[in-house]
């Protein structure tokens, strides 16, 4: 059994509308407790918007601004600039978005904010689909995953958002998982203390959308990391790569077999997915080694 060191500061409150066993609600708890109360949250339409809720019944004990789906990063930029103008440059502005609002609909605003190096902490809760509107695919949906709009499995691979953001020479972009809470907290605290745009991509198994048991969310996040499906790593200033979980210790089928969205896969399909993961892992190892050299 894995034990973690964690102290809850009460910034995230009970009584929210997350599904039972939801990993996103747990991830929000980790994030806001690491950031503290000197913060403002900006939330576009998403599962996160339902979980955070609106005034006067928000589950967050920090000011929370609900914005449009396409404008999350732009809205967060405006909130931050207004705080600076009021003499509060150290207040953290959190953007809590989903993958639809990050990889797809909100990417233009995010890319522009990154190009301007706006001083915001942008969090993407990546559940690999539009899970709040029927479970349709997004560009974050992986190869062969069944969704509401890809009933036979998605024919194209997942967009590599970390590499796209790294190409902007972003100060800090990293992946994180609630299944590795100590690493998650460290990355939030590190990002909080960096000036400029910081982005964390957080893996969120959607229990209903992925076909995962209510009590298996954390197990699936750990399998994603251990199989190399979701590597934990950081990229600083677009060039410095650090792998935080350095061993790919199990085959991908250990992860795929836990989810109904992959029940249709043949052995050839699984081998194709495994090959793609192995190639990406080798690329990350080379990038990490080059950063050291």
């Amino acid at each position: 059994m894995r034990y973690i060191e964690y102290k809850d500061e009460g910034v995230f409150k009970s009584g929210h509308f997350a599904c039972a066993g939801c990993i996103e609600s747990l991830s929000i708890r980790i994030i806001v407790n690491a950031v503290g109360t000197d913060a403002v949250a900006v939330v576009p339409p998403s599962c996160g918007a339902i979980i955070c809720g609106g005034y006067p019944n928000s589950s967050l004990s920090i000011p929370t601004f609900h914005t449009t789906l396409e404008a999350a990063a732009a809205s967060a930029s405006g909130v931050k600039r207004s705080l600076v103008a009021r003499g509060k440059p150290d207040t953290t502005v959190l953007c809590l978005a989903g993958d639809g609002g990050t990889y797809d609909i909100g990417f233009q605003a995010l890319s522009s904010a990154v190009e301007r190096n706006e001083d915001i902490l942008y969090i993407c809760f990546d559940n690999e689909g539009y899970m709040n509107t029927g479970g349709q695919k997004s560009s974050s949906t992986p190869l062969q995953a069944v969704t509401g709009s890809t009933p036979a499995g998605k024919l194209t691979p997942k967009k590599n958002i970390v590499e796209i953001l790294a190409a902007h020479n972003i100060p800090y972009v990293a992946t994180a998982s609630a299944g590795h809470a100590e690493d998650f907290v460290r990355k939030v605290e590190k990002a909080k203390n960096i000036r400029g745009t910081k982005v964390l991509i957080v893996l969120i198994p959607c229990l209903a959308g992925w076909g995962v048991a209510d009590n298996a969310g954390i197990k699936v996040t750990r399998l994603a990391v251990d199989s190399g499906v979701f590597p934990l790593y950081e990229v600083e200033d677009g060039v410095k790569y650090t792998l935080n979980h350095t061993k790919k210790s199990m085959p991908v089928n250990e992860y795929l077999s836990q989810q109904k969205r992959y029940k249709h896969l043949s052995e050839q399909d699984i081998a194709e997915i495994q090959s793609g993961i192995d190639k990406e892992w080798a690329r990350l190892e080379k990038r990490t080694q080059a950063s050291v050299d």
Side-chain angles (χ1 to χ4, degrees):
M1 182 178 292
R2 180 183 299 176
Y3 294 94
I4 63 171
E5 296 271 344
Y6 180 73
K7 181 181 179 182
D8 194 294
E9 302 294 342
V11 185
F12 183 71
K13 296 175 284 188
S14 61
H16 53 75
F17 291 101
C19 298
C22 177
I23 302 304
E24 184 163 339
S25 61
L26 173 60
S27 297
I28 293 173
R29 183 181 299 277
I30 290 171
I31 291 162
V32 296
N33 279 288
V35 168
T37 55
D38 187 14
V40 176
V42 176
V43 188
S46 59
C47 291
I50 303 299
I51 295 168
C52 292
Y55 179 85
N57 298 312
S58 176
S59 61
L60 301 182
S61 58
I62 57 175
T64 305
F65 171 52
H66 290 263
T67 185
T68 59
L69 184 53
E70 70 276 10
S75 298
S77 301
V79 170
K80 181 65 181 188
R81 290 189 180 206
S82 69
L83 287 166
V84 171
R86 295 179 60 193
K88 298 181 178 181
D90 297 327
T91 298
T92 300
V93 175
L94 288 170
C95 196
L96 305 176
D99 53 280
T102 301
Y103 286 68
D104 299 335
I105 297 170
F107 183 73
Q108 178 178 338
L110 176 59
S111 177
S112 295
V114 171
E115 187 274 330
R116 297 190 305 270
N117 200 27
E118 300 284 353
D119 189 18
I120 60 175
L121 174 51
Y122 189 104
I123 311 287
C124 172
F125 297 118
D126 187 2
N127 58 24
E128 299 183 335
Y130 289 85
M131 299 305 176
N132 195 35
T133 58
Q136 303 89 346
K137 81 168 184 71
S138 74
S139 60
S140 171
T141 304
L143 179 70
Q144 292 287 2
V146 167
T147 71
S149 54
T150 58
K154 184 168 175 270
L155 300 179
T156 53
K158 179 173 182 170
K159 181 190 288 185
N160 194 331
I161 194 76
V162 175
E163 290 301 316
I164 294 170
L165 291 168
H168 290 64
N169 296 319
I170 186 172
Y172 186 72
V173 58
T175 59
S177 161
H180 295 75
E182 296 95 335
D183 176 76
F184 196 169
V185 171
R186 179 187 64 80
K187 285 172 176 172
V188 174
E189 291 175 343
K190 180 175 182 177
K192 177 185 174 182
N193 293 314
I194 295 173
R195 290 295 188 188
T197 314
K198 297 81 58 176
V199 179
L200 293 182
I201 309 297
V202 184
L203 185 66
I204 306 292
C206 178
L207 306 178
W210 293 19
V212 173
D214 288 355
N215 64 349
I218 287 295
K219 177 183 178 180
V220 170
T221 64
R222 290 175 177 167
L223 287 172
V225 172
D226 290 341
S227 64
V229 170
F230 191 79
L232 295 180
Y233 69 109
E234 304 164 271
V235 187
E236 298 173 70
D237 300 317
V239 293
K240 182 183 177 183
Y241 283 68
T242 304
L243 261 174
N244 311 117
H245 189 82
T246 57
K247 292 184 179 180
K248 183 162 62 70
S249 58
M250 64 179 59
V252 68
N253 198 40
E254 296 286 331
Y255 168 73
L256 302 177
S257 64
Q258 302 294 315
Q259 306 166 57
K260 290 182 180 179
R261 63 177 180 162
Y262 292 118
K263 292 297 184 183
H264 65 292
L265 295 182
S266 66
E267 290 186 7
Q268 182 177 348
D269 293 331
I270 295 170
E272 181 183 358
I273 293 170
Q274 183 70 68
S275 176
I277 290 168
D278 292 344
K279 289 177 182 177
E280 174 62 13
W281 186 266
R283 186 191 68 82
L284 281 175
E285 287 185 321
K286 288 180 181 178
R287 288 284 182 93
T288 301
Q289 187 58 49
S291 298
V292 174
D293 296 341

